[in-house]
Amino acid sequence: MAAAGSAKPRILVTRKMMPDVEARLSRDFLATLNPDDRPMTRDDILRLAAAHDGLLLTSFDKLGPEFIPALPPSIRIIATHSVGYDHLSIPQAEARGIAVTNTPGVLTDATADIALLLMLGAARGASWGDRMVRENRWGETTLVSPMGFDVSGRRLGILGMGRIGQAVAKRARAFGMAIHYHARKPVAAEQAPGAAYHARFADMLPNIDFLSVNCASTADTRGMVNAEAMALLPRGAILVNTARGDIVEDEALIAALASGHLAAAGLDVFRGEPQIDPRYRSLENVFLLPHLGSATPRTRSAMGHKCIDNLEQFFRGERPADLLTRA
């Protein structure tokens, strides 16, 4: 439902977008932008939403389970500037008749690049090596200490073999890594050439040296990488996570790193981010990034334009290409 006297729908945009995205939003919609990038609370969004037909949200927005039921009746669509949609309740949106879209595909390469960065950084001690140089402790190095771990020729297990999992596997093959994966069902052979499929997650874990978490956060996967799973990994294995923080149990991971059962971890996502478990900061064998998976200008711009594409399709009466809710 467009604003009275105007053919342009009214869109509330909760965070600052790339300049080309904001220019298109301002041209094609009556868009309320956030030029100062001031984080909005749930109450802020609900208050402002009353004057709008749709929302362009992000995974940074902390909305809570009562957000969608409290939305005003004017809201007909939510476009989330993310692939993951665990910050929104799809069943609640369907119950309200609100369409929800996301941005799959356009951040695949950027996120896969970060997964390899985490793998290399965790294995080769990028964080502690950087600190040694900055703190003028280079002279402490010897032929036997400190040392990292090989990546080339090792065994990589991928949890979730969608677009990003496949892109991680493609990059890992360039390092001569043997690829194993677990997913709900095997993918076509050409999508994972030479990879070994494991129908049970537990069966894959003893056969890998690295575990890359690349699945969506769902009721089935939250907490999936727990103490029992980590115990099945060989001693000295390395875990990386670019998916969602709640797939990995913090308590179990911190204990495995502190005990040495896991040699290292590389993390771009965390439960409750940006407020993370403070114990991660004191562990020398963790390589930490602040959710940079899609953080390149090209990727963030493509994500914004994908949101706009979905919004325009919806308001033209078409089915949005990336619709998550049932039509």
Side-chain angles (χ1 to χ4, degrees):
M1 180 173 62
S6 172
K8 293 183 178 181
R10 306 162 298 179
I11 305 297
L12 173 63
V13 185
T14 61
R15 297 300 298 259
K16 184 174 180 59
M17 300 281 152
M18 296 295 292
D20 56 319
V21 173
E22 291 192 339
R24 185 178 168 195
L25 282 164
S26 296
R27 183 193 70 198
D28 296 344
F29 299 95
L30 294 177
T32 301
L33 304 178
N34 186 351
D36 299 325
D37 209 18
R38 179 183 62 83
M40 294 185 185
T41 66
R42 180 183 64 183
D43 289 344
D44 290 335
I45 298 171
L46 290 173
R47 175 174 51 81
L48 293 170
H52 296 83
D53 306 301
L55 304 176
L56 200 169
L57 303 175
T58 77
S59 59
F60 298 147
D61 298 313
K62 306 306 177 186
L63 305 173
E66 298 179 357
F67 174 72
I68 287 178
L71 281 171
S74 64
I75 297 298
R76 299 170 55 202
I77 182 170
I78 298 171
T80 181
H81 189 276
S82 60
V83 172
Y85 48 89
D86 49 303
H87 54 297
L88 294 167
S89 170
I90 300 303
Q92 286 181 343
E94 289 175 339
R96 285 285 310 272
I98 298 172
V100 179
T101 66
N102 67 340
T103 62
V106 294
L107 69 166
T108 298
D109 286 330
T111 304
D113 288 349
I114 286 286
L116 266 292
L117 172 63
L118 289 172
M119 201 178 303
L120 292 163
R124 297 306 301 270
S127 55
W128 51 255
D130 179 80
R131 285 195 297 274
M132 288 186 76
V133 176
R134 292 179 186 277
E135 296 168 6
N136 197 27
R137 295 191 290 118
W138 194 332
E140 297 175 14
T141 62
T142 73
L143 292 178
V144 295
S145 178
M147 283 195 274
F149 305 93
D150 291 318
V151 175
S152 296
R154 305 299 294 280
R155 303 169 299 174
L156 171 63
I158 296 175
L159 173 57
M161 203 55 150
R163 293 184 183 92
I164 296 173
Q166 292 171 32
V168 171
K170 178 181 178 180
R171 287 155 173 75
R173 282 194 294 273
F175 287 84
M177 301 186 86
I179 310 300
H180 299 252
Y181 73 98
H182 167 72
R184 286 177 295 177
K185 58 184 180 180
V187 299
E190 61 270 20
Q191 294 176 310
Y197 173 66
H198 298 264
R200 295 181 66 249
F201 183 47
D203 292 341
M204 178 179 75
L205 296 174
N207 297 292
I208 60 177
D209 306 299
F210 288 80
L211 173 61
S212 179
V213 180
N214 299 110
C215 61
S217 173
T218 67
D220 292 330
T221 63
R222 290 181 197 115
M224 188 173 184
V225 185
N226 53 25
E228 291 76 15
M230 291 181 208
L232 292 172
L233 288 165
R235 185 171 181 82
I238 293 173
L239 180 148
V240 301
N241 187 6
T242 55
R244 283 292 185 266
D246 60 8
I247 299 168
V248 178
E249 287 192 354
D250 287 335
E251 197 68 39
L253 178 55
I254 290 167
L257 291 165
S259 71
H261 180 70
L262 291 186
L267 305 174
D268 188 43
V269 291
F270 304 84
R271 184 189 300 270
E273 59 187 50
Q275 304 305 317
I276 71 170
D277 191 309
R279 292 174 292 176
Y280 282 124
R281 299 190 182 98
S282 63
L283 290 168
E284 285 289 323
N285 54 347
V286 186
F287 183 40
L288 306 172
L289 294 177
H291 204 149
L292 298 180
S294 64
T296 71
R298 182 173 64 179
T299 302
R300 291 280 169 84
S301 178
M303 293 170 71
H305 285 293
K306 202 163 185 60
C307 287
I308 297 174
D309 290 344
N310 284 310
L311 288 167
E312 289 184 338
Q313 289 161 6
F314 176 82
F315 286 110
R316 286 198 302 262
E318 302 169 6
R319 179 186 175 89
D322 305 300
L323 185 67
L324 296 169
T325 46
R326 289 173 293 188

